[in-house]
Amino acid sequence: MTRTPVNVTVTGAAGQIGYALLFRIASGHLLGADVPVKLRLLEIPQGLKAAEGTAMELDDCAFPLLRGIDITDDPNVAFDGANVALLVGARPRTKGMERGDLLEANGGIFKPQGKAINDHAADDIRVLVVGNPANTNALIAQAAAPDVPAERFTAMTRLDHNRAISQLAARTGAAVSDIKRLTIWGNHSATQYPDIFHATVGGRNAAEVVDDEKWLADEFIPTVAKRGAAIIEARGASSAASAANAAIDHVHTWVNGTAEGDWTSMGIPSDGSYGVPEGLISSFPVTCKDGAYEIVQGLDINEFSRTRIDASVKELEEERDAVRGLGLI
Ligand SMILES: NC(=O)c1ccc[n+]([C@@H]2O[C@H](COP(=O)([O-])OP(=O)(O)OC[C@H]3O[C@@H](n4cnc5c(N)ncnc54)[C@H](O)[C@@H]3O)[C@@H](O)[C@H]2O)c1
Ligand SMILES: O=C(O)C[C@H](O)C(=O)O
């Protein structure tokens, strides 16, 4: 049976993450090995030529699942009929830039993109925001798309989730595949909280296996939360291949589901669960099934976790208030 191709729009297509991402989408890793895709690449005018070069390389791979590539600098064209949108292109913080300037510059990108999604995307559109500050950029885009169900706008904390699994595996000597139910709470920033209290290692409670709160507080949490900065320091550029890999994981899990007995972390609009104010785009433990996600309910949150979740949520509230003050939401 011939399947209708899924339209996947990628913004910032000529950037570092774009280069690591597009080939994996085209080879079937995003949606599945039997799902044909059409790519729409959105770039700013200065990025179009490089995006064309990447499209030439995609052609040269002769991917059987790739059914077309369009390149544009017009969001209305890029999101026309989009089923999946990966919003990667963002304005990086430059020297001397205040946080308010950064939020405002990104508002100039994510507000029009949200409106274009609202006006042109397919009814089943699913959006993942990767470009930083990812949670608040997702909030801006979502607010500009009142006709799209709010839960279709998500922000990426899967890279943090994967980083935390890897660190925990290294500490416990377990295989990555033996680690389940890890959670990233809050913002994709240094305030994020990687929580192992409900995680398991080979079926045993991870916090009990580790049994070292000092390691948790002084090593594990800061290592995960500051990993992005450590990569920038080491590589001279922000994480690209691992970020692209996490974007693939995020969408693949959202569409195809979490494994039985496991969950993942996604930045999603809060429904008020765990005391996170409704509407904030915050990371939660979620299970996915039939293309939808649900927050894992009923977890006991101890004092250690509560303080850290609250601190990250407070930062998200401050970012929300700042973009509200700028008229971006
Ligand atoms: N959430 C995460 O876990 C995570 C991890 C790594 C990086 N990031 C973020 O992802 C973003 C992209 O990273 P990168 O390394 O690919 O950056 P990059 O600078 O290499 O590429 C960004 C691309 O976006 C394009 N762009 C800028 N404004 C655009 C617009 N309005 N429309 C379309 N394209 C636009 C630029 O021309 C550029 O080609 C950054 O904001 C980075 O901080 C997030
Ligand atoms: O781009 C960055 O600032 C870092 C990135 O968000 C990361 O977590 O690797």
Side-chain angles (χ1 to χ4, degrees), residues 24 28-35 84 86 126 128 158 245-258 288 291:
R24 295 194 60 199
H29 289 93
L30 187 77
L31 298 167
D34 56 346
V35 185
V84 177
L86 304 175
R126 289 183 177 81
L128 168 62
R158 184 63 174 262
N245 178 67
I248 297 275
D249 284 351
H250 177 114
V251 174
H252 191 275
T253 304
W254 188 358
V255 172
N256 294 300
T258 37
C288 301

Side-chain angles (χ1 to χ4, degrees), residues 67-110:
R67 301 296 157 81
I69 312 171
D70 295 320
I71 304 168
T72 179
D73 60 1
D74 180 350
N76 294 315
V77 174
F79 294 113
D80 190 27
N83 306 105
V84 177
L86 304 175
L87 309 190
V88 179
R91 174 77 156 80
R93 190 196 287 261
T94 42
K95 204 163 182 245
M97 203 178 194
E98 299 295 330
R99 207 171 60 123
D101 300 334
L102 181 72
L103 291 169
E104 191 166 18
N106 278 294
I109 295 173
F110 287 88

Side-chain angles (χ1 to χ4, degrees), residues 10-19 42-44 46-47 72-73 75 87-92 106 108-110 113 129-134 137 155-160 163 188 235 237-240 242-243 246:
V10 178
T11 78
Q16 286 201 90
I17 295 177
Y19 195 72
L42 180 67
E43 258 295 344
I44 51 176
Q46 308 89 287
T72 179
D73 60 1
L87 309 190
V88 179
R91 174 77 156 80
N106 278 294
I109 295 173
F110 287 88
Q113 289 184 0
V129 176
V130 174
N132 280 321
N137 287 340
M156 191 164 93
T157 53
R158 184 63 174 262
L159 178 53
D160 311 298
R163 286 167 171 164
H188 171 67
R235 234 171 67 82
S238 71
S239 22
S242 56

Side-chain angles (χ1 to χ4, degrees), residues 2 22 24 29 32-33 51 80 95-96 113 133 152 159 166 176 189 192 212 228 245-246 252 277 280-281 301:
T2 321
L22 292 168
R24 295 194 60 199
H29 289 93
D80 190 27
K95 204 163 182 245
Q113 289 184 0
R152 303 287 185 76
L159 178 53
S166 175
V176 157
S189 76
Q192 68 175 266
D212 186 349
N245 178 67
H252 191 275
L280 274 189
I281 299 202
I301 305 297

